Amino acid sequence: MSAISRADARYTEGYYQVAFPFIMPPHLSAPRRRSFDTFSLWALLATIVAAIVFIIPSAVTPFVTTKVFLLAAGTLLTLAFYILARLTRGNIIFPSTALMGALWLPVIAYGLSAAFSGAPFAGSLWGTALEPDTLGSRLAAAVLGTLTTLILRRPEHYRSFLNVGAYAFAAIALIGTITVIVGQFLPNVISPAFSIVGSMSDLAILLGLGIVILLITFRFLEPSLRARRALLVSGVLALFLLAVANSSLVWTLLALVSLGLFVEAVMRHGSSVADADLEGSIVVAEAPLEEGEGNRPLALPLAVLAVSLFFLIGGTLGSALGSALHVNMLSVRPSWQSTLAVAEKTYSVAPVFGSGPGTFGAQWLKYRDASLNSTVFWNIDFSSGIGFIPTSFVTTGIIGAFAWLVFLGLFIVLGLRVLLVRTPQDAFTRYVAIVSFIGSLYLFAAALFDLPGAIVIALAFVFAGIFISATRFAKDGRQWGILFSRSPRLGFVIVFSLTIILLSSVMVAYSLVEHYIATTEVAHAAASLSVGNLDAADQAVQSALSFAPTVSAYQVQASIAKARLSIIAASTTMEKNAAQQAYQSALSSGINAALTATNLDPSDYQNWIALGNLYAQAVPLGVSSAYDSAKTAYKKAEALDPTNPQIPYVLAQLDIANKDTKTAQDDLKAAIALKQDYPAAIFLLSQLEVQDGNVKDALTSALAAAYFSPNDPNILFQVGVLYAAQNDFVNAAAALSAAVSANPQFANARYLLSAVYAKQGDMTDALAQMQAIAGMSSDNATAVAPQLSALAAGKNPFPANLLSASSTPVK
């Protein structure tokens, strides 16, 4: 290995570079032509741009997953071109800095956690849909960052990257603005909240990054008049979209950057102005300014600072603007306290390697605080914590936390050292170093305090890679080169290693394509299932399983089987023998799919719920062991999600199907103990109490359910029936009237309300309710014709015991 400084770079590349001269000997001179180096550069740029701005015109194909797939596939393609370039040139060149190795620390932590945490490796590698907190996503980001360091080595490379980035920023700002405007008039064609980058949160982060780079560009460079105008227009559009999104984190980061640039610009500007009061005095000052540095405009950073503070202080104004434009960016995440509580309990069980990549959701369900059941987010299964990096602390354990802290610490310390002590002498390379360093810190701050997508996190590594590349231009900067083409022994080892990496990338690409196709087919299956097209759903899920046997595919297959069971049970046209065979086939298929899902990922409570639901289908049919199997599955789900009130509610429904009302009441009370404002459980408990003849307690339960769900017509109907059973016809009429107001087509409620009015002697209102029932359909009119005639004659047509609890079934 030999060090290659700026003064000695004779055999590295074949191009002349003014700012960073690589001078070729005359005998190596050749005309510039397309090479694998050029292909790797454009593959890198195309990968980044495609991952950000790619749009797929399909509501079924997963949008964000497709972007992540393009990012990973493009990274592998870029890696292949880079390896081929090195094999043809016979050298490898990289900057001499520890940051390049530190870039891989989080990936190493993810790999160790995936291998030794005990979590399913397939889920840790790709997750369900290529999520950010997976080994595959971290590996793609690290490889992309490393390739950025190795491929972008010259000022013209940096210019190409920044020019492409400027066009992408302008396109994102323009398309985002057009989307918001068009969405106001054609909301059925495109939603005003649609984001080209995947989500409004990611859009806000990227727009904020663009404005940061814009501010630094105007501070350290002199763009042409045309470029200046284009950048300013893009910046104004970006600020408008940020005002609509109103992300407090982005406004805070923008305020900090603009404040720093404004203070620096004021000091530079002030020190460049001659002060008559200092004539004849000894002036103490820093190094002299470069030409033009004191003349940079102050208005731009000041304007961005003012806008940022305006929306930070008056946060409701931004929310009002978003609401007025029908763009509501609601970010629901666990708090810092909840995230750290989950981390603490996870470390008590698996301190070193954590719970495994992509398993925060399982840890959240296992350790979340039961008091959350009293909030509106009680039934949300969070898959991440307060931020991406804190989530990683939970899933990768102490080794992951250590890796992130060491990497970020080294990056900040060594980065500041380069910018403050070893500043590049060339103005443009100094600008690149500043832009890449601040851009990286901005994106990593977003990953710390927010939940950006995989694309944004990968961009953080890309900017870190650019900064690492720029360190070769620092004062006394050096880079290392290995000329393995001149060393047979070393060359054999390196060529063999590069070939193995190239072949491995092909294998990884094959696995990636399989997983993406499987994920896409699962999405198609779920969409077909949602509209009742079971045959298309089954065909899609079979296709998904042929590519990759994922947990989500088996979950959808189990849901398809459950839907088929419901159709068969409700059918009145199928022959008995055929129905029995079809039922048994669907039940067996669904149970096998659910069992396979539980084997692939036993930590997902949804797999056990799906298995229990299928077994529960056979309980009313008297199938032996069906009840026990269903209850066992539900109990395992309850162990994985002990604070979820829905699970004991489902157990109560299972007990009712098994004709065990006593156990069902105990399960419902357990559900209500977990969530006191659980109307469904309270209502079902009141129904069971009615069956036991306990009308008083049933009324108390029904009133409690009505308190929490005052507009539920079924609960109001139950309250009215129970009041009537106690001869409280005034409150019965009020409750039944409320049920009718909530659902004017509720014929049963109108019928009983008519009976209550007749009982009170109000034949006019009783007749009005009966006429409303008759007006709903001709069948209703025929059914209630005797009651209509009697009420019109002023007679009460209802039997005396109609309003008693024993004779009025609750439905």
Side-chain angles (χ1 to χ4, degrees):
M1 179 179 292
S2 59
I4 302 178
S5 65
R6 290 195 301 268
D8 184 17
R10 298 178 59 191
Y11 302 106
T12 55
E13 294 290 337
Y15 305 117
Y16 175 73
Q17 176 54 248
V18 176
F20 188 34
F22 291 91
I23 308 299
M24 286 197 311
H27 67 279
L28 294 179
S29 179
R32 186 167 183 170
R33 65 182 188 275
R34 299 294 179 186
S35 66
F36 285 117
D37 279 315
T38 305
F39 292 150
S40 62
L41 172 62
W42 287 109
L44 174 67
L45 298 179
T47 296
I48 296 172
V49 173
I52 295 175
V53 304
F54 177 79
I55 300 177
I56 182 167
S58 173
V60 178
T61 303
F63 182 43
V64 176
T65 302
T66 302
K67 284 177 168 289
V68 180
F69 167 74
L70 289 176
L71 177 74
T75 300
L76 292 174
L77 181 63
T78 305
L79 176 62
F81 282 137
Y82 176 78
I83 291 176
L84 292 174
R86 302 284 58 82
L87 291 176
T88 55
R89 289 190 174 274
N91 61 30
I92 299 178
I93 304 168
F94 49 88
S96 175
T97 174
L99 287 177
M100 194 167 176
L103 200 68
W104 283 82
L105 288 177
V107 181
I108 294 173
Y110 268 84
L112 293 173
S113 178
F116 301 109
S117 64
F121 186 80
S124 298
L125 179 60
W126 298 122
T128 302
L130 309 179
E131 294 87 355
D133 188 38
T134 56
L135 173 60
S137 291
R138 294 305 94 241
L139 184 62
V143 172
L144 192 62
T146 302
L147 289 173
T148 303
T149 298
L150 298 175
I151 294 174
L152 304 184
R153 295 184 293 106
R154 299 173 176 162
E156 65 260 31
H157 295 163
Y158 302 145
R159 293 183 193 277
S160 298
F161 176 85
L162 292 171
N163 286 336
V164 171
Y167 283 114
F169 171 65
I172 292 172
L174 180 61
I175 293 174
T177 304
I178 294 175
T179 300
V180 172
I181 295 174
V182 174
Q184 308 305 312
F185 304 98
L186 301 172
N188 295 328
V189 176
I190 186 170
S191 169
F194 172 77
S195 168
I196 188 176
V197 300
S199 68
M200 285 299 296
S201 176
D202 284 359
L203 177 63
I205 293 173
L206 290 183
L207 290 174
L209 174 66
I211 294 175
V212 167
I213 297 176
L214 185 149
L215 292 175
I216 299 174
T217 300
F218 278 98
R219 168 62 188 87
F220 292 98
L221 296 182
E222 289 287 350
S224 65
L225 180 61
R226 181 179 178 183
R228 182 185 294 270
R229 290 175 177 174
L231 288 175
L232 286 176
V233 171
S234 301
V236 171
L237 296 179
L239 285 174
F240 165 72
L241 292 175
L242 283 179
V244 174
N246 196 33
S247 170
S248 59
L249 174 62
V250 174
W251 286 128
T252 301
L253 295 175
L254 275 181
L256 292 175
V257 172
S258 56
L259 176 62
L261 289 174
F262 176 72
V263 172
E264 190 268 350
V266 167
M267 295 180 65
R268 291 281 186 176
H269 183 78
S271 61
S272 65
V273 179
D275 195 331
D277 294 337
L278 297 179
E279 293 182 1
S281 303
I282 299 176
V283 179
V284 179
E286 296 181 356
L289 300 175
E290 294 186 6
E291 182 179 356
E293 282 211 12
N295 299 322
R296 300 287 192 255
L298 304 178
L300 193 58
L302 180 61
V304 174
L305 176 61
V307 172
S308 301
L309 292 177
F310 176 82
F311 282 98
L312 279 175
I313 296 174
T316 56
L317 296 176
S319 301
L321 177 62
S323 299
L325 296 176
H326 307 96
V327 180
N328 297 316
M329 192 178 77
L330 179 62
S331 177
V332 181
R333 297 171 289 158
S335 63
W336 276 102
Q337 181 181 359
S338 299
T339 304
L340 294 178
V342 172
E344 180 182 359
K345 293 179 180 178
T346 301
Y347 283 10
S348 65
V349 178
V352 180
F353 301 109
S355 58
T359 60
F360 181 90
Q363 300 302 108
W364 167 260
L365 295 175
K366 189 181 298 182
Y367 299 124
R368 68 173 181 171
D369 192 342
S371 62
L372 290 174
N373 286 330
S374 60
T375 68
V376 295
F377 310 115
W378 67 277
N379 58 347
I380 296 180
D381 296 343
F382 291 108
S383 59
S384 302
I386 183 68
F388 168 74
I389 294 179
T391 300
S392 180
F393 286 3
V394 175
T395 57
T396 58
I398 293 176
I399 190 172
F402 177 78
W404 277 110
L405 293 175
V406 171
F407 165 62
L408 293 176
L410 281 175
F411 185 79
I412 294 173
V413 171
L414 297 181
L416 291 176
R417 183 171 177 266
V418 168
L419 294 181
L420 299 178
V421 179
R422 302 172 55 219
T423 307
Q425 298 300 311
D426 179 70
F428 179 70
T429 53
R430 181 167 63 250
Y431 157 77
V432 171
I434 295 172
V435 161
S436 57
F437 181 73
I438 295 179
S440 298
L441 290 184
Y442 171 90
L443 293 173
F444 281 122
L448 178 62
F449 297 103
D450 204 346
L451 290 171
I455 305 300
V456 174
I457 299 172
L459 276 179
F461 282 82
V462 168
F463 274 84
I466 295 175
F467 177 76
I468 296 172
S469 173
T471 57
R472 74 185 80 204
F473 294 97
K475 184 179 180 181
D476 299 326
R478 299 173 68 84
Q479 63 180 357
W480 294 93
I482 305 175
L483 305 178
F484 58 85
S485 61
R486 299 187 176 184
S487 176
R489 294 180 180 178
L490 182 61
F492 174 78
V493 174
I494 293 179
V495 170
F496 180 78
S497 300
L498 290 176
T499 303
I500 292 298
I501 295 175
L502 182 61
L503 295 177
S504 300
S505 66
V506 175
M507 297 176 60
V508 173
Y510 182 79
S511 173
L512 175 66
V513 171
E514 279 192 324
H515 196 89
Y516 171 72
I517 294 176
T519 302
T520 303
E521 290 295 328
V522 168
H524 291 169
S528 299
L529 176 62
S530 64
V531 297
N533 191 347
L534 301 186
D535 291 335
D538 191 60
Q539 183 179 359
V541 80
Q542 291 297 336
S543 175
L545 291 172
S546 67
F547 284 100
T550 61
V551 174
S552 56
Y554 285 111
Q555 288 176 341
V556 174
Q557 191 176 39
S559 300
I560 294 172
K562 183 182 176 183
R564 289 192 185 280
L565 292 175
S566 299
I567 293 175
I568 295 170
S571 176
T572 58
T573 58
M574 292 182 66
E575 296 182 358
K576 183 177 181 181
N577 292 335
Q580 288 178 347
Q581 292 178 359
Y583 195 92
Q584 290 175 356
S585 176
L587 182 61
S588 176
S589 173
I591 290 175
N592 288 335
L595 283 172
T596 305
T598 59
N599 291 331
L600 291 175
D601 188 4
S603 64
D604 188 350
Y605 84 101
Q606 293 284 6
N607 294 334
W608 296 104
I609 291 291
L611 180 60
N613 288 341
L614 287 165
Y615 279 124
Q617 295 284 323
V619 172
L621 304 179
V623 177
S624 61
S625 75
Y627 171 78
D628 293 334
S629 298
K631 191 159 190 174
T632 300
Y634 288 144
K635 285 295 184 181
K636 288 185 178 180
E638 190 174 37
L640 295 171
D641 191 5
T643 59
N644 188 346
Q646 293 174 307
I647 298 178
Y649 177 76
V650 171
L651 279 168
Q653 292 179 315
L654 177 67
D655 292 326
I656 293 172
N658 197 45
K659 298 180 173 55
D660 186 356
T661 58
K662 176 60 178 176
T663 305
Q665 289 181 6
D666 294 338
D667 289 331
L668 290 171
K669 290 176 181 178
I672 296 170
L674 289 172
K675 180 177 175 57
Q676 295 181 359
D677 56 342
Y678 194 3
I682 298 171
F683 181 54
L684 183 56
L685 180 60
S686 71
Q687 290 181 308
L688 296 180
E689 288 170 339
V690 168
Q691 292 181 11
D692 288 343
N694 191 354
V695 177
K696 182 178 180 181
D697 290 342
L699 178 59
T700 301
S701 299
L703 287 172
Y707 176 80
F708 296 116
S709 298
N711 297 317
D712 189 322
N714 293 316
I715 295 177
L716 294 170
F717 175 74
Q718 175 83 339
V719 171
V721 169
L722 293 173
Y723 268 129
Q726 293 184 335
N727 295 322
D728 188 346
F729 298 115
V730 174
N731 285 321
L736 292 170
S737 296
V740 169
S741 298
N743 182 11
Q745 302 299 313
F746 199 165
N748 284 347
R750 288 189 180 275
Y751 189 88
L752 289 179
L753 180 59
S754 177
V756 169
Y757 284 147
K759 188 73 173 180
Q760 292 177 311
D762 187 354
M763 300 302 174
T764 302
D765 288 339
L767 178 61
Q769 294 299 323
M770 202 59 62
Q771 288 172 339
I773 296 173
M776 294 179 185
S777 68
S778 58
D779 291 338
N780 282 359
T782 302
V784 299
Q787 288 85 354
L788 282 172
S789 300
L791 289 171
K795 298 179 180 180
N796 185 352
F798 302 102
N801 63 344
L802 174 63
L803 300 177
S804 65
S806 59
S807 63
T808 306
V810 181
K811 300 181 181 180

